[in-house]
Amino acid sequence: MSFHRYQSYKESGVEWLGQVPAHWAIVPFKHVIQRIESGTSVNAVDTPAAAGERGVLKTSCVYSGEFNAAENKAILPEEYDRASCPLRAGTLIVSRMNTPDLVGAAGLVRVETDELYLPDRLWQLHMKNCEPAFVHFWTATAAYRSQVQVACSGTSSSMQNLAQDQLRTFWFPNPPRCEQTEIVRFLDCEIKKIDRLVEEQQQLIALLKEKRQAAISHGITKGLNPNALTKVSGIDWPASVPAHWEVLPLARVVSHFVDYRGKTPTKIHAGVPLVTATQIKEGRIERSLDPVFISEEEYGERMTRGFPEKGDILITTEAPLGETAQIEDERVALGQRIILMKPNRRKITPSYLFTHFRSQFGQNELWKRASGSTASGIRADRLRASAVLVPPLDEQSVIVNWIAEEVSHFPPIERAIQTQIELLQERRSALISAAVTGKIDVRGLVETEAPIPGVVAA
């Protein structure tokens, strides 16, 4: 479905906006800002604020828009007098300093609280003569992001700052307030529909992951012969295993552990690929998540602890814990928070050990030995003591092949679902942008329950 356009338009005079409805005003952002409050740096503890305690807002809450006191760090009582800027309903919380993708990001405060305060990286914008929710939708548009990027150009490529004076000069499309209200009502209605569809698709992906995990765990803990004799495992779970299997500590099936902790590698833009803990995800090394390199000289020095070979297993030891992958390209350097394991091939095949760590059993063995109050991690000695269920070598290959066959149809289904999610998210962004910049006329459409459009403008 396509939406109607307004009857008449005018040139906005702003490159990022183009034409706007003839009766809309284009004003500097300062015209709708009553005041900007800055947060304060206060000492806080890692534990969440309890009921009645004051907490400091996590910067990450701005991007989710969920301002929940229970998820933020508690302010020390002796710091209460220094804490300023409690959250007020109808305000926008804006990130004044962050990475290029996140600086300027904004969240709308819908519920007022005297228990949650801003840190010094955030502003609270009090609005005037406009709908705060309309302004919030505007901050999600390319027109707004383009102005943020220009304002922050020339600053650090990794951490950027947005000045209040710059923010106040941004050009803002300002329809009559009653029209802003209608646009907000329409977008609230349509965005809920889109978000509901996205959630349904995400639930399907979660269900597929559960089914994949069930197949992996079945093979790793029970094997493929339902009539096999069993014995007591001697560990918490599973209580029994096939009688001809061994239950061994990881140290018995790995001939060599290589821990790459120590000196932080110097990352450069070209050279030998550096595998970081961030890149290890869903059983693969995804270099696009953090494409970095080290020099040839540092590669030679760093990797003398043990050069990776095809089939070797990688496991992340913290932040995140338990992500695993196999080495495919041998010419890579390995970063911190990663342990490389060379399987003892007389006891275990590389593919079976890799599958072990992808099973619920293998993950449980890691997590029950983990420690740490804020970020769980596992020490090398505890990792070595984790249990592995070890069938004979020929049976290991049969199990791995069966699991591969059982889960082979999941990836294309997941990719198709993920494509649908991306399309819905693109529609969401396009709909918001078209409505708040006047490219479509949505007045009076809430009552008609307009469907999610395939094309947002005629």
Side-chain angles (χ1 to χ4, degrees):
M1 174 184 175
S2 60
F3 289 102
H4 294 297
R5 289 169 59 83
Y6 286 86
Q7 287 187 345
S8 59
Y9 284 82
K10 65 182 179 183
E11 291 296 334
S12 67
V14 179
E15 178 183 356
W16 305 293
L17 288 176
Q19 291 188 331
V20 296
H23 64 286
W24 285 26
I26 304 299
V27 299
F29 195 28
K30 64 182 179 181
H31 285 204
V32 296
I33 298 175
Q34 185 180 63
R35 69 180 188 280
I36 301 177
E37 292 182 296
S38 298
T40 309
S41 178
V42 294
N43 292 321
V45 295
D46 288 336
T47 55
E53 292 183 340
R54 297 183 183 181
V56 62
L57 182 69
K58 283 184 180 178
T59 303
S60 59
C61 290
V62 175
Y63 319 121
S64 67
E66 296 294 331
F67 303 122
N68 185 345
E71 297 177 359
N72 296 278
K73 294 182 179 181
I75 299 173
L76 295 173
E78 57 267 29
E79 295 281 286
Y80 280 6
D81 290 341
R82 295 186 63 243
S84 63
C85 202
L87 264 63
R88 293 291 175 251
T91 60
L92 262 67
I93 306 301
V94 177
S95 174
R96 67 169 182 84
M97 178 173 70
N98 214 306
T99 60
D101 290 340
L102 297 177
V103 65
L108 177 65
V109 181
R110 299 181 185 275
V111 179
E112 192 160 306
T113 175
D114 288 322
E115 298 177 358
L116 204 50
Y117 291 76
L118 289 188
D120 58 358
R121 285 191 175 191
L122 302 178
W123 293 323
Q124 183 165 211
L125 274 61
H126 296 257
M127 316 309 299
K128 63 180 181 180
N129 301 321
C130 69
E131 287 297 321
F134 179 86
V135 181
H136 181 227
F137 279 126
W138 172 67
T139 63
T141 67
Y144 170 78
R145 292 304 309 170
S146 296
Q147 296 183 84
V148 171
Q149 290 167 7
V150 170
C152 293
S153 63
T155 60
S156 168
S157 60
S158 59
M159 186 64 66
Q160 296 186 338
N161 291 273
L162 179 63
Q164 285 192 26
D165 288 346
Q166 293 171 318
L167 180 70
R168 293 175 188 274
T169 63
F170 287 4
W171 290 107
F172 174 70
N174 193 26
R177 186 161 186 175
C178 61
E179 193 169 334
Q180 292 182 23
T181 302
E182 283 200 78
I183 292 171
V184 167
R185 287 169 58 198
F186 170 81
L187 287 176
D188 280 342
C189 179
E190 295 304 310
I191 295 307
K192 284 179 183 177
K193 295 177 186 177
I194 295 175
D195 289 347
R196 192 182 308 121
L197 290 174
V198 169
E199 184 179 357
E200 290 172 358
Q201 298 298 308
Q202 290 171 335
Q203 289 173 351
L204 286 176
I205 289 180
L207 180 60
L208 289 173
K209 288 183 177 179
E210 287 178 10
K211 290 185 175 181
R212 178 194 290 112
Q213 187 54 249
I216 294 172
S217 292
H218 178 89
I220 291 296
T221 60
K222 297 181 179 180
L224 306 182
N225 182 2
N227 299 317
L229 296 176
T230 61
K231 66 181 179 183
V232 175
S233 67
I235 56 179
D236 294 339
W237 178 81
S240 63
V241 295
H244 61 292
W245 288 18
E246 294 182 280
V247 181
L248 300 175
L250 183 63
R252 289 279 304 278
V253 298
V254 173
S255 60
H256 192 37
F257 292 85
V258 185
D259 190 342
Y260 293 94
R261 297 178 196 180
K263 181 182 176 182
T264 302
T266 303
K267 300 176 182 179
I268 58 178
H269 294 296
V272 179
L274 176 69
V275 176
T276 64
T278 304
Q279 295 174 11
I280 303 175
K281 192 174 182 65
E282 299 290 337
R284 295 182 57 83
I285 299 172
E286 299 286 355
R287 297 209 60 254
S288 61
L289 297 176
D290 184 24
V292 289
F293 304 84
I294 65 172
S295 67
E296 290 281 353
E297 181 181 4
E298 186 170 1
Y299 171 69
E301 296 172 354
R302 183 176 184 81
M303 301 307 293
T304 53
R305 304 179 188 182
F307 287 87
E309 298 174 291
K310 190 170 183 177
D312 288 350
I313 313 301
L314 303 179
I315 193 85
T316 57
T317 57
E318 61 177 305
L321 170 63
E323 293 286 351
T324 186
Q326 280 190 277
I327 291 292
E328 296 178 0
D329 182 358
E330 296 182 349
R331 186 169 167 73
V332 293
L334 299 176
Q336 296 176 309
R337 310 196 312 274
I338 296 174
I339 286 181
L340 178 140
M341 291 171 283
K342 295 183 177 293
N344 178 350
R345 300 189 184 217
R346 292 174 297 177
K347 278 288 187 182
I348 199 166
T349 68
S351 295
Y352 186 84
L353 182 58
F354 167 67
T355 307
H356 157 79
F357 282 115
R358 297 209 70 197
S359 71
Q360 189 62 53
F361 170 74
Q363 288 291 304
N364 287 348
E365 284 294 304
L366 294 177
W367 281 91
K368 73 182 184 182
R369 289 172 170 79
S371 59
S373 58
T374 56
S376 293
I378 188 168
R379 300 200 315 256
D381 60 329
R382 288 177 174 264
L383 174 65
R384 288 180 170 87
S386 64
V388 184
L389 309 180
V390 187
L393 285 171
D394 57 349
E395 189 175 349
Q396 291 177 29
S397 298
V398 173
I399 290 172
V400 168
N401 290 338
W402 176 84
I403 290 173
E405 179 65 25
E406 286 292 303
V407 304
S408 62
H409 61 286
F410 291 142
I413 297 174
E414 289 180 352
R415 286 194 294 270
I417 294 173
Q418 189 59 47
T419 298
Q420 289 299 314
I421 290 175
E422 291 169 2
L423 288 173
L424 286 167
Q425 290 172 335
E426 288 174 7
R427 290 183 184 183
R428 187 185 196 276
S429 297
L431 187 61
I432 291 171
S433 180
V436 300
T437 59
K439 301 302 183 288
I440 56 176
D441 184 355
V442 301
R443 292 173 296 179
L445 290 184
V446 173
E447 291 76 15
T448 63
E449 293 292 316
I452 298 166
V455 180
V456 298

